[in-house]
Each structure stands twice: as C-alpha cells, then as structure tokens.
Amino acid sequence: MKKIILVAALVLFSFTVNAQDDGSALSKGSWLLEANTGFGGGDLNVAHSAHTGFALQATDGYTAYSVGAEAGYFLADNLALKVGLGLNGQKLDGQDAVSTLTYKVGAKYYLDDKFPLQVDVTGATGESFGDDKPLWLGLQAGYAIFISNSVSVEPGLRYNVSLNQDFSDKGLFELRVGFVVHL
C-alpha cells in the first residue's frame, strides 16, 4: 500500500511540476485537488468509518483502509468550497467485513496564504451501519508548504466531533499530511 501511495504521489507531482501559473494558486476562480493521509484516530472501527483520504491500519488480523480525494473551488481569494469522496473497507482475517462510501462537504480558508483552516461535515453510508450512520464535524488547521506555484504539502491536525451520538460519542484527533495541486 505504501508503494501505491508513493507512486500515485510521484505521478501527481510529475503532472503538476510544469503547470503554468496564471496568478495566485489561492485566487478566486482557482481549483484545488487534494489527497490526504491520516494517522491516529484510535479505535479502527470508528477512525475509518468516514474518511476521504488514504489510510491503512492493521491489528491482530483486522485491517481498515481508506482511499479517497477532495476537490475545491475558490469562491474568493483564499476561500475554497470543498467536496470529497472516499471508499473505506475493513477486513477480518483476510475476508471483507465492511465497505462504506464516504462524503465530505466543507470550506477551507488560507490565513496569510500559508495556514489552511478547514471546517467540514463528513458522513458515510453502508449496509453495516443500519440507522446509525456516522456523521462528523471536522476542524482542521495546518501549514501549507508550497514546493512550486501549483503544488503544496500541508501537514496539520484535525479533530472530528461526532454529530451522531448513536454511532459514536467519541471525538477523534488525527495528524494529517495533505498533498494539494492548485489549478
């Protein structure tokens, strides 16, 4: 899985190194494409129930994984409206246990062009949840390291507050590293 993520990041980077910059990457009318990795979150079941990034955790024959991406459109300078989709799965002793489709809607603001602040709502759908669908309010802050005019790496911290107490009453902290292409 680590090799797949590395190859995907290198391919994405190679497509964007020569991208032309018509102005600020964070200006009104620009787009962003984002892939995140997530570390932490505690309980495997809860941590991977609503995730739109790349993650892999395994313990005692139980594996949880996530694959997803996000896109955003800058409504104003430094302010983007974002949406995301993800596919999450869990395996127990090599057998598929649960698969879910996740979604995210939110906003991202770049304070001083280098401190991304994000608020969003993330949810998941799948047969295994029944009526208790996971729903989270996400709060995220980080630092944008622009390695070119159109590519940034954004390490940060995220806190997910459960909005469905029937699913979980726990909040989750995560360390995130985002890879963002600005178009």
Side-chain angles (χ1 to χ4, degrees), residues 51-71:
H51 199 291
T52 58
F54 291 89
L56 176 65
Q57 290 181 318
T59 304
D60 298 328
Y62 179 80
T63 304
Y65 60 91
S66 300
V67 178
E70 301 171 17

Side-chain angles (χ1 to χ4, degrees), residues 31-152:
W31 290 86
L32 67 82
L33 298 175
E34 185 172 351
N36 288 290
T37 60
F39 307 97
D43 179 13
L44 288 173
N45 241 348
V46 174
H48 285 276
S49 60
H51 199 291
T52 58
F54 291 89
L56 176 65
Q57 290 181 318
T59 304
D60 298 328
Y62 179 80
T63 304
Y65 60 91
S66 300
V67 178
E70 301 171 17
Y73 178 76
F74 283 88
L75 301 172
D77 289 352
N78 296 336
L79 178 64
L81 177 64
K82 289 181 58 182
V83 295
L85 286 174
L87 178 63
N88 303 282
Q90 300 172 8
K91 293 185 178 215
L92 182 58
D93 296 326
Q95 302 296 317
D96 285 339
V98 177
S99 291
T100 61
L101 179 66
T102 60
Y103 54 90
K104 179 185 287 185
V105 176
K108 186 173 195 174
Y109 181 75
Y110 286 84
L111 181 64
D112 290 334
D113 294 340
K114 58 187 163 200
F115 298 103
L117 306 171
Q118 181 169 310
V119 62
D120 55 61
V121 174
T122 306
T125 182
E127 292 178 16
S128 64
F129 295 125
D131 293 333
D132 299 332
K133 306 279 190 232
L135 191 62
W136 306 92
L137 172 66
L139 306 170
Q140 186 170 320
Y143 184 76
I145 304 163
F146 279 86
I147 57 178
S148 78
N149 290 336
S150 59
V151 177
S152 64

